[in-house]
Amino acid sequence: MRDPWWKTAVAYQIYPRSFADADGDGLGDIAGIIGKLDHLADLGIGFIWLSPVYRSPMADNGYDISDYREIAPEFGTTADFDRLLAEAKARGIGIVMDLVVNHSSDEHSWFQSAREGRDSPFRDYYIWRDPGPDGGPPNELQSFFGGPAWSFDARSGQYYFHLFDRKQPDLNWENPALRAAIWEMMNWWFDKGIAGFRMDVIDLIGKDPDNGITAEGPKLFDHLAEMQREVLAGRDVVTVGEAWSASPDTAPRYCGDGAALSMVFQFSHVTAGWDPEFGKWKDHKSDLVALKRGFNDWQRALAGEGWNSLFWSNHDLPRAVSKYGDDGIWRVRSARALAIVLHLMKGTPYIYQGEEIGMTNTRFARREDFNDVEVHGQWPEMQARGLSADDFLAGANANGRDNARTPMQWDARAHAGFSTGTPWLAVNPNYPRVNAAADRADPDGVFAQYRQLVALRKSHPIIVHGSFVPLAEDHPAIWAYRRELEGQRLTMVANLSGDPVRFAVPGQGAVSGQCLVTNTEARTDLTGEVALAPWEAVAVLGTP
Ligand code: NOJ
């Protein structure tokens, strides 16, 4: 059987609000994306995951959709979208849309009708319950953005359910009419020529809120099987499900043979970098052994069946080089090391906008300066649990979502060349130094490293298909693994610390041959003990 195209492709995520603003209103837009397609074509990517561009009141920056088939006017028109699709296709790039169907916006016509009253034909598109015995919410379930997951609707005297903001009511997947409407919408987008869907919090759609079950609920895999039958079967598309609760045990049910998804985004490596008590809201030093385990367990679990997605960052996470690298003196080298480590594992890599030029976290001086609904919703929650204001601010600066949402830094002009107007979120002040124009002009820059890695994946089947064996899993500073395919061996060794390290390459990884990639000096030999410079990463290709 022919390999699916998305195994060899590298993906690039665009957060449209922050990517490129063509009309000067301070918000990125589709015309802006079109203007930057050559940057992406140069990088060599195969598809774009486009965060939501649908009509939306933007309570959660587009993850609250009020019309699944219309484009948000602030981002452009349907004609602009169609042009994006065509221009991307002309460069061999597919467009993967964001499917946000755990919930809609409360301004979607379905919800507007549903809240008219109990006999609305759309009432059952959402989850309504009578108040609890004390007149309060039906149960204790909490929203991910803080506060109860139930909001009271005075008109009907019932509560509706929302796992996110109160402006994001959860859709009722128990209702076959709702599911049919979603299948129809998905088919409509596919018929337009999109390359796939990234599915927002897809592990939540099978929930059973009456029994307190939200993630991986009893109906989840039935719904996904129905999606496979009604929409995906026979289509040559890519589907990636965001699934925070997926585990190596459940992974094959999402993306094994015949399952609806090509792969999932799982987050064990992300949560490994969180505080055990306060999660992302308290800064926590990332531990390399735990971080590696997050990847290695999944590499092992999906060795035979299923497929991995590989990512450091997205629009909900901190900047990779700030979280896992060193965004000070080693910014460029450590960003390159992280790229090498990620891209030579088995799976489809996703580059988050700005990662390819080594963009860093920003710093917000005060809590009020954050834009993100999650920061404001979670503060009262964390305060009640005993976190101090200073610790919360440090946590939000380390892990908050706005870090990834500051505008893309294109060049050293005002507002980093992102917009001629005032950007909706302040540009990171380091833009005169950290920007695409400067980085791309540097043959030893971050972009050059990413471009090389994307190209190597196309020319070296061992990167796509080779078996994966982790090495030195307990080493606190070294990340190392071996890949093998048809008599070839590729060994990657990286020092993920700012100190020099001497490392004895274990026998099962020993290789000498050709230096495939390096962020420092070329090496052709990884046998015996090697002395690695700070943040050095190297991969050698040879025979076992
Ligand atoms: C996950 C998305 O990535 C995030 O940005 C959003 O807030 C929630 N799902 C709700 O849609």
Side-chain angles (χ1 to χ4, degrees):
M1 205 184 87
R2 191 166 66 88
D3 269 343
W5 56 271
W6 41 263
K7 289 194 173 177
T8 315
V10 172
Y12 185 95
Q13 184 193 350
I14 291 183
Y15 193 67
R17 213 180 171 75
S18 304
F19 191 63
D21 174 20
D23 65 6
D25 66 354
L27 286 182
D29 45 43
I30 293 174
I33 299 173
I34 296 172
K36 299 295 184 187
L37 281 175
D38 287 336
H39 172 81
L40 303 181
D42 258 14
L43 192 53
I45 57 133
F47 63 100
I48 293 170
W49 153 23
L50 188 61
S51 276
V53 290
Y54 313 91
R55 188 180 286 272
S56 160
M58 304 282 169
D60 187 20
N61 291 349
Y63 283 89
D64 49 319
I65 297 171
S66 54
D67 190 324
Y68 287 102
R69 298 179 203 215
E70 288 289 332
I71 300 297
E74 49 272 68
F75 291 154
T77 61
T78 296
D80 291 331
F81 179 84
D82 292 346
R83 196 156 61 86
L84 170 63
L85 208 54
E87 293 271 351
K89 191 165 177 213
R91 293 166 176 81
I93 296 174
I95 301 286
V96 167
M97 296 294 275
D98 215 316
L99 183 76
V100 188
V101 289
N102 172 69
H103 45 269
S104 73
S105 162
D106 65 341
E107 297 182 30
H108 193 289
S109 62
W110 293 340
F111 193 76
Q112 297 290 307
S113 165
R115 72 169 5 158
E116 296 271 296
R118 297 187 188 209
D119 11 314
S120 154
F122 291 97
R123 184 78 174 173
D124 200 35
Y125 272 43
Y126 296 88
I127 300 170
W128 301 91
R129 296 289 182 270
D130 290 333
D134 61 351
N139 64 29
E140 299 288 294
L141 282 174
Q142 295 290 299
S143 142
F144 292 109
F145 289 166
W150 299 97
S151 282
F152 190 61
D153 172 54
R155 193 171 335 173
S156 63
Q158 285 192 308
Y159 281 84
Y160 68 89
F161 187 66
H162 55 90
L163 278 171
F164 295 91
D165 192 70
R166 59 166 60 227
K167 283 188 68 61
Q168 294 168 293
D170 277 39
L171 289 162
N172 176 19
W173 277 74
E174 300 279 328
N175 178 353
L178 177 269
R179 298 200 301 276
I182 289 171
W183 309 150
E184 200 190 321
M185 177 269 285
M186 291 176 74
N187 279 316
W188 183 85
W189 280 104
F190 278 129
D191 293 345
K192 241 181 184 309
I194 66 165
F197 279 113
R198 173 268 184 184
M199 302 183 189
D200 193 65
V201 290
I202 202 66
D203 53 340
L204 305 183
I205 62 171
K207 67 186 80 72
D208 176 7
D210 299 315
N211 290 304
I213 300 173
T214 54
E216 290 195 334
K219 295 284 176 58
L220 171 61
F221 296 106
D222 291 347
H223 296 331
L224 287 174
E226 188 174 309
M227 180 193 288
Q228 168 71 4
R229 286 196 306 276
E230 299 294 326
V231 182
L232 301 168
R235 293 191 190 270
D236 185 16
V237 295
V238 64
T239 48
V240 48
E242 184 199 24
W244 285 77
S245 57
S247 65
D249 287 343
T250 57
R253 301 190 69 188
Y254 292 92
C255 65
D257 297 341
L261 303 181
S262 315
M263 58 193 121
V264 292
F265 289 133
Q266 60 85 18
F267 295 86
S268 52
H269 60 287
V270 171
T271 52
W274 286 0
D275 180 74
E277 194 183 348
F278 294 103
K280 65 194 265 189
W281 304 109
K282 184 166 182 211
D283 195 9
H284 180 79
K285 191 165 164 15
S286 155
D287 159 4
L288 188 66
V289 173
L291 180 65
K292 287 188 285 187
R293 197 179 312 122
F295 284 96
N296 291 342
D297 288 350
W298 279 78
Q299 290 284 321
R300 278 187 276 258
L302 300 184
E305 201 189 336
W307 189 250
N308 273 297
S309 66
L310 305 169
F311 66 96
W312 287 125
S313 183
N314 66 29
H315 65 292
D316 295 330
L317 302 176
R319 291 279 173 187
V321 69
S322 300
K323 182 77 188 173
Y324 307 109
D326 176 345
D327 61 10
I329 56 165
W330 298 115
R331 183 184 65 84
V332 171
R333 196 192 282 179
S334 68
R336 293 177 60 184
L338 291 171
I340 293 170
V341 166
L342 192 83
H343 282 241
L344 299 183
M345 280 192 265
K346 190 168 183 177
T348 298
Y350 288 73
I351 303 169
Y352 180 64
Q353 68 185 39
E355 185 185 315
E356 81 281 19
I357 56 163
M359 275 177 63
T360 68
N361 275 0
T362 189
R363 217 197 99 66
F364 296 91
R366 302 170 315 157
R367 198 174 61 246
E368 303 77 65
D369 297 341
F370 284 87
N371 172 279
D372 185 10
V373 59
E374 188 188 36
V375 169
H376 301 294
Q378 283 289 350
W379 161 239
E381 212 62 13
M382 292 298 139
Q383 186 181 30
R385 280 166 53 184
L387 192 63
S388 74
D390 285 352
D391 279 353
F392 183 83
L393 183 63
N397 268 306
N399 296 316
R401 309 196 299 178
D402 282 340
N403 282 306
R405 300 176 179 188
T406 62
M408 179 74 185
Q409 293 161 213
W410 291 106
D411 53 44
R413 286 178 300 164
H415 308 310
F418 160 73
S419 173
T420 52
T422 304
W424 71 279
L425 186 65
V427 172
N428 189 317
N430 67 11
Y431 78 88
R433 188 169 48 87
V434 180
N435 64 64
D439 185 71
R440 292 189 54 157
D442 179 359
D444 294 322
V446 184
F447 186 87
Q449 184 70 79
Y450 271 89
R451 180 162 48 188
Q452 183 197 18
L453 287 163
V454 176
L456 284 172
R457 168 170 296 269
K458 295 177 191 159
S459 55
H460 288 71
I462 190 171
I463 299 176
V464 182
H465 298 292
S467 60
F468 179 95
V469 175
L471 305 171
E473 289 186 79
D474 294 328
H475 198 295
I478 297 290
W479 197 316
Y481 52 76
R482 179 190 94 197
R483 309 285 311 272
E484 278 183 6
L485 185 73
E486 292 161 3
Q488 281 194 317
R489 170 177 290 181
L490 183 164
T491 297
M492 191 294 306
V493 174
N495 173 9
L496 292 197
S497 81
D499 299 314
V501 174
R502 301 189 77 83
F503 174 64
V505 181
Q508 342 118 282
V511 66
S512 69
Q514 164 206 353
C515 185
L516 196 66
V517 50
T518 173
N519 65 352
T520 48
E521 298 295 315
R523 282 176 194 272
T524 54
D525 188 64
L526 287 176
T527 57
E529 192 178 70
V530 291
L532 293 154
W535 296 103
E536 174 175 355
V538 58
V540 172
L541 180 65
T543 47

